[in-house]
Amino acid sequence: MRTEGGHDLRHHGDAEVRDDGSALVDLAVNVRADTPPPWLRERIAASLGGLAAYPDGRRARAAVAARHGLAPERVLLTAGAAEAFVLLARALKVHRPVVVHPQFTEPEAALRDAGHSVDRVVLRAEDGFRLDPAAVPEDADLVVIGNPTNPTSVLHPAEEIAQLARPGRTLVVDEAFMDAVPGEREALAGRTDVPGLVVLRSLTKTWGLAGLRIGYVLAAPETISDLERAQPLWPVSTPALAAAEACMEPQALAEAGHAAHRVAADRAHLVAGLGQFDGVRVVAPAEGPFVLVRLPHAADVRRRLRELGFAVRRGDTFPGLDEEWLRLAVRDRGTVGSFLHALDRALARH
């Protein structure tokens, strides 16, 4: 456990559905339900005949590069986006890393585990958790920000994030949920005009591959080389490489685009339902496959929801949030309807 300032940086949504939570309806984990789709399972299964050979990532790397209009030397495949944070923390020689919070806590945990002192820029609820580029210290030589941000579901304008770029600064943008945004508007993936830009992507969320561990880094060739030297040999398995290649194909990208529009519609339904409750505030506009809500007695409500069969993500492990916050994954309308009924009962106690 990595605890800093009272926040358990190593607590993640999957903890809510382990052990006695395994039978709960899961609104705690931000992985799209009913995935991976059958065609992707078949592609992964077909790769198992090649397990006797060492993994060869060249084709998957070229596929990712082509998808973003980049040269392959600007791509590094990783065992999930989380591995990329560890590589960045270990490989880059930085003196003043800054993490913009609230956001996914693994980047800060990885930096601290690598011996770095980490400064925080904490965005305020009163400002809608919007980025103020001027709040980032000028001498920061590593800045980490999520877009859309987990857990706030805020989508920052790409040009505001690009304003954080400086000569001598590495700007890390976690775009793990960008493919859940219709049209991937505000994406920086594929940009080569922003100095020091490093973009992280995950295939875990949209395709339901958390158990397979596959993601990638997009950056300048020299940065990719530094990160690659910090990786162990053959870090990405053959089935994960097969999944990466498959998810870059045109029909897969089209399916992801359709899924993003469904998520947006289901999110609107969830937000409208939450709006019927007095005292429940939703951070808006939400743009990711999850929403962040503030409500009185949130810790008690979360426990009551578990008794009623639903798991939601506690918010107090994120720097900048406290026990009044919960994160809710977007689910289909039927699941949302059942959840809202349970929430009504949970709130009635107070």
Side-chain angles (χ1 to χ4, degrees):
M1 178 188 302
R2 163 64 74 178
T3 302
E4 296 292 340
H7 299 280
D8 180 0
L9 302 182
R10 284 278 158 77
H11 179 93
H12 301 298
D14 61 319
E16 310 282 357
V17 290
R18 289 185 196 143
D19 302 326
D20 64 341
S22 61
L24 300 177
V25 178
D26 180 9
L27 278 77
V29 177
N30 291 328
V31 173
R32 192 173 127 221
D34 302 320
T35 50
W39 64 265
L40 182 53
R41 290 200 299 268
E42 290 169 7
R43 289 286 291 272
I44 294 168
S47 74
L48 299 182
L51 293 185
Y54 285 96
D56 183 348
R58 288 177 295 176
R59 283 178 51 178
R61 188 176 190 175
V64 171
R67 181 256 195 268
H68 292 287
L70 297 171
E73 57 265 27
R74 287 182 169 270
V75 175
L76 181 68
L77 301 173
T78 59
E83 187 205 8
F85 291 122
V86 174
L87 296 176
L88 288 163
R90 293 177 177 176
L92 300 186
K93 304 297 186 286
V94 296
H95 302 287
R96 191 178 183 188
V98 170
V99 178
V100 179
H101 285 290
Q103 77 148 312
F104 184 50
T105 53
E106 203 60 28
E108 178 171 330
L111 284 162
R112 292 187 182 280
D113 286 344
H116 296 283
S117 297
V118 182
D119 289 332
R120 295 172 177 171
V121 170
V122 180
L123 308 181
R124 305 190 315 155
E126 308 91 272
D127 301 326
F129 298 109
R130 311 302 303 185
L131 172 66
D132 175 9
V136 175
E138 195 63 33
D139 62 344
D141 55 359
L142 173 68
V143 178
V144 185
I145 186 169
N147 203 37
T149 304
N150 171 20
T152 63
S153 208
V154 168
L155 183 66
H156 303 288
E159 291 313 313
E160 284 191 8
I161 294 180
Q163 289 177 31
L164 296 174
R166 302 281 190 280
R169 171 185 288 178
T170 300
L171 173 60
V172 178
V173 184
D174 177 7
E175 291 189 352
F177 294 99
M178 187 60 79
D179 59 356
V181 176
E184 295 196 2
R185 66 187 193 282
E186 312 304 343
L188 287 166
R191 294 273 297 267
T192 59
D193 61 319
V194 181
L197 177 65
V198 176
V199 174
L200 275 54
R201 286 287 182 107
S202 170
L203 300 179
T204 293
K205 317 302 191 257
T206 287
W207 298 112
L209 297 175
L212 197 61
R213 311 309 306 141
I214 179 64
Y216 55 89
V217 182
L218 307 175
E222 56 271 23
T223 301
I224 295 296
S225 295
D226 289 341
L227 299 179
E228 194 167 20
R229 282 193 293 271
Q231 272 187 317
L233 288 173
W234 310 292
V236 181
S237 70
T238 295
L241 293 171
E245 188 175 350
C247 291
M248 297 300 114
E249 294 174 355
Q251 61 268 32
L253 297 177
E255 181 175 326
H258 291 311
H261 285 284
R262 286 198 302 273
V263 165
D266 290 340
R267 183 181 60 239
H269 178 66
L270 172 61
V271 171
L274 292 169
Q276 303 303 308
F277 295 100
D278 291 335
V280 176
R281 177 205 163 189
V282 182
V283 175
E287 301 283 2
F290 47 87
V291 298
L292 183 65
V293 300
R294 190 176 198 172
L295 65 162
H297 311 289
D300 290 338
V301 169
R302 172 177 157 271
R303 285 189 286 269
R304 176 63 174 149
L305 284 169
R306 292 183 71 84
E307 296 170 4
L308 295 170
F310 291 86
V312 299
R313 171 67 158 90
R314 57 190 281 202
D316 61 316
T317 63
F318 293 99
L321 304 182
D322 57 26
E323 287 192 348
E324 292 188 343
W325 296 91
L326 298 174
R327 190 193 70 194
L328 313 174
V330 173
R331 297 292 185 245
D332 64 90
R333 291 192 172 213
T335 302
V336 167
S338 299
F339 167 74
L340 292 172
H341 179 68
L343 180 60
D344 187 38
R345 294 177 61 188
L347 289 170
R349 279 198 167 188
H350 298 286

